[in-house]
Amino acid sequence: MTYMEKYESWLKDDSVLPEFKAELKAITDEKEIEDRFYQDLEFGTAGLRGVLGAGTNRMNEHTVGKATEGLARYIAETFPGSPSCAIAYDSRIKSDTFAKTAALILAAHGVKAYLFESLRPVPMLSYAVRYLKADAGIVITASHNPKQYNGYKVYGAYGGQLTDEAADIVLDKIAEVASFGDVKSISEEEAVEKGLLVYIGEDVDKSYIDSIKTVTVKKDLVRESAPELQIIYTPLHGSGNVPVRRVLRELGYTNVHIVKEQEAPDGNFPTAPYPNPENPSVFTLALEMAKEVKPDIIFGTDPDCDRIGVVVTEKDGGSRVLTGNQTGMLLTYYLLNALKEEGRLPSNGVVIKTIVSTESVRKIASSYGVELMDVLTGFKYIGEKIEEFKATKEKTFIFGFEESFGYLAGDFVRDKDAVVASMLVCEMALYYKKKGMTLYDALMEVYEKYGYFNEAIVSFTLEGKDGQDKIRKCIEYMRDNTLTEVDGVRTLSKEDYKLREKTDLLTGVKEEITLPSSNVIKYTLEDDSWFVVRPSGTEPKMKAYVAVTGKDLDDSRNKLEAFKKAVVDAVNKGFE
């Protein structure tokens, strides 16, 4: 069906809501119609995500309904008996509506829907799936995207995001839903009466918070000295406000100062149009507060509270938001060192990172006799490994992270968790404060000990059908054309994760990549620098991840800028 045929079918379909028909009829630009209908929203690294509005390529009650109809059929067929699904949502526009829509569709299929009574972080959904022994989970969120976005993430019975095989089956089920009129639903009253809609809250909340507190490493330090730490926290109008403050309060952190203008949940994000803790501008209000409070630590969580950004004060008094790699490096070093000091470092311990995250932690882990494992981009792959190790007992999971500000410790959640990370960042800051050090001092210590690693991401934003075509063309160009050097430095290897092969560019020898197939290409160079190119799974972007190592901080920064420019030039050839 062409995009115009899809457009016409929406206008003729009696099950399409009148407000969406009116919205579509008001469109005068055919390019806008094409963008709304040229594709259906697809599962990426984190499920469905798109702009709110009418159309198959938009987030709305109908696309959510169709996705849930397919998921409900999958759950009912795969888990006969008394199947169930947990549902959570964040502060975004229509998140509560989409959550209720999904719950009532599930109930119509005899799938018990456990729905949180109010907004909750993504990791609490992961926890709830495991706690309630549900067969699946749904969370309505678009993470850190601007206000016009929302999304729909699906979780498996083990609490992690659906893996590729299960996601493909669900997609097939969704594709079988020919019309929105085929989406079954029942009323809230009927669902509650039949016990197919159950609202959840404090029981799950308390168990989750109690589990997080067990991850504390330096328990005596926290018990005795937590009130000494001055903290500024911003939830960025999202779902982290209540759980983050609760876990810190219960651990004794009494000096927690909240950025009031960003405290209340608000899907319009009035003070942070791009509510991403990677973006330094979201901390403007926190830094204003810092002039009065004089904090030891400033941090913020994104709207669905699975990512955390940390601000440190440099030697010259300036403030800097740590990169996701720097926070991951610091937490890895702190956790391994603290566990060793406490005599609790497991002999079969493992730290897990994604293939686009800093290599610095490989050296850190090795120095503590801990294995460092790589997985594909997407925290679901870290969740898979945690589940695997819990079953086999072969390894003990210590910490997992990805460069995009996602971190996890503990084995009770299967997704990145900024509530856990908030607690660990505060414990780490307290530990260094008692040693007379700031987190910036600690960062310099890690650099001096393990090397001046430096990384960055370059995003190429290309929206609409034309943009997607250009991204596909570019990645194929990078696949078909092999670079022999970048910025005058010889390339040593090329890894094509779609073909699942690594080529030694000096000998031509190929070896198999044992990770699942993914549309990713990676080069490693003679000076240990590397870069990766991949299309984003959740945004209209292609991303280039670049990494270097320098003799000192300035050298690494200079090398990174030159290398980044050379990589951008190489990628741009694919867009020509």
Side-chain angles (χ1 to χ4, degrees), residues 2 104 110 204 216 233 252 264 329 346 354 399 414 537:
T2 67
L104 297 179
V204 176
T216 304
Y233 166 56
M329 183 172 72
T354 60
F399 183 59
R414 296 290 182 274

Side-chain angles (χ1 to χ4, degrees), residues 174-227:
I174 294 170
E176 291 171 7
V177 184
S179 163
F180 296 129
D182 296 335
V183 177
K184 293 169 60 178
S185 185
I186 59 176
S187 69
E188 182 177 359
E189 293 74 20
E190 183 183 354
V192 171
E193 185 182 320
K194 290 182 174 179
L196 291 170
L197 174 57
V198 178
Y199 288 97
I200 54 175
E202 176 56 23
D203 286 353
V204 176
D205 293 347
K206 184 179 186 306
S207 181
Y208 170 71
I209 295 295
D210 287 346
S211 295
I212 290 177
K213 291 188 291 188
T214 66
V215 178
T216 304
V217 181
K218 295 280 186 179
K219 292 179 170 57
D220 291 342
L221 170 72
V222 172
R223 185 173 55 253
E224 294 165 8
S225 304

Side-chain angles (χ1 to χ4, degrees), residues 338-350:
L339 285 167
K340 184 177 180 180
E341 289 181 349
E342 296 291 308
R344 292 166 46 205
L345 187 64
S347 58
N348 64 344
V350 62

Side-chain angles (χ1 to χ4, degrees), residues 475-491:
I475 202 84
E476 284 307 314
Y477 174 87
M478 298 295 292
R479 176 165 287 114
D480 296 339
N481 295 272
T482 297
L483 298 169
T484 56
E485 59 87 26
V486 180
D487 198 29
V489 180
R490 187 165 57 166
T491 56

Side-chain angles (χ1 to χ4, degrees), residues 9-222:
S9 73
W10 271 57
L11 294 179
K12 294 173 184 174
D13 193 332
D14 292 338
S15 59
V16 171
L17 292 170
E19 59 260 38
F20 290 136
K21 291 185 179 183
E23 182 181 326
L24 293 173
K25 287 176 182 176
I27 298 172
T28 56
D29 181 3
E30 189 173 326
K31 269 290 183 187
E32 174 70 11
I33 294 173
E34 180 186 51
D35 187 57
R36 287 171 180 254
F37 288 98
Y38 81 89
Q39 67 172 6
D40 292 353
L41 288 180
E42 296 179 359
F43 279 91
T45 52
L48 301 170
R49 190 176 300 179
V51 173
L52 292 160
T56 61
N57 192 32
R58 294 289 187 270
M59 281 292 295
N60 52 65
E61 285 86 338
H62 298 303
T63 51
V64 166
K66 185 176 179 180
T68 308
E69 176 69 24
L71 177 64
R73 294 179 187 183
Y74 164 78
I75 296 171
E77 292 174 16
T78 309
F79 306 98
S82 302
S84 62
C85 179
I87 306 173
Y89 60 92
D90 68 3
S91 60
R92 285 185 174 271
I93 296 166
K94 284 200 166 185
S95 280
D96 54 349
T97 299
F98 293 157
K100 180 73 70 64
T101 298
L104 297 179
I105 293 168
L106 290 166
H109 287 266
V111 178
K112 180 185 285 189
Y114 292 104
L115 177 61
F116 273 107
E117 66 201 356
S118 59
L119 76 168
R120 295 294 192 284
V122 161
M124 290 190 74
L125 182 279
S126 174
Y127 186 85
V129 169
R130 298 172 58 79
Y131 178 89
L132 297 166
K133 295 182 170 56
D135 300 305
I138 299 169
V139 63
I140 308 297
T141 178
S143 188
H144 55 281
N145 283 72
K147 66 180 181 180
Q148 61 265 36
Y149 283 82
N150 211 328
Y152 181 103
K153 294 165 82 170
V154 181
Y155 288 70
Y158 74 101
Q161 291 174 40
L162 272 193
T163 51
D164 298 340
E165 184 178 348
D168 287 342
I169 297 171
V170 172
L171 278 170
D172 288 341
K173 293 293 180 187
I174 294 170
E176 291 171 7
V177 184
S179 163
F180 296 129
D182 296 335
V183 177
K184 293 169 60 178
S185 185
I186 59 176
S187 69
E188 182 177 359
E189 293 74 20
E190 183 183 354
V192 171
E193 185 182 320
K194 290 182 174 179
L196 291 170
L197 174 57
V198 178
Y199 288 97
I200 54 175
E202 176 56 23
D203 286 353
V204 176
D205 293 347
K206 184 179 186 306
S207 181
Y208 170 71
I209 295 295
D210 287 346
S211 295
I212 290 177
K213 291 188 291 188
T214 66
V215 178
T216 304
V217 181
K218 295 280 186 179
K219 292 179 170 57
D220 291 342
L221 170 72
V222 172

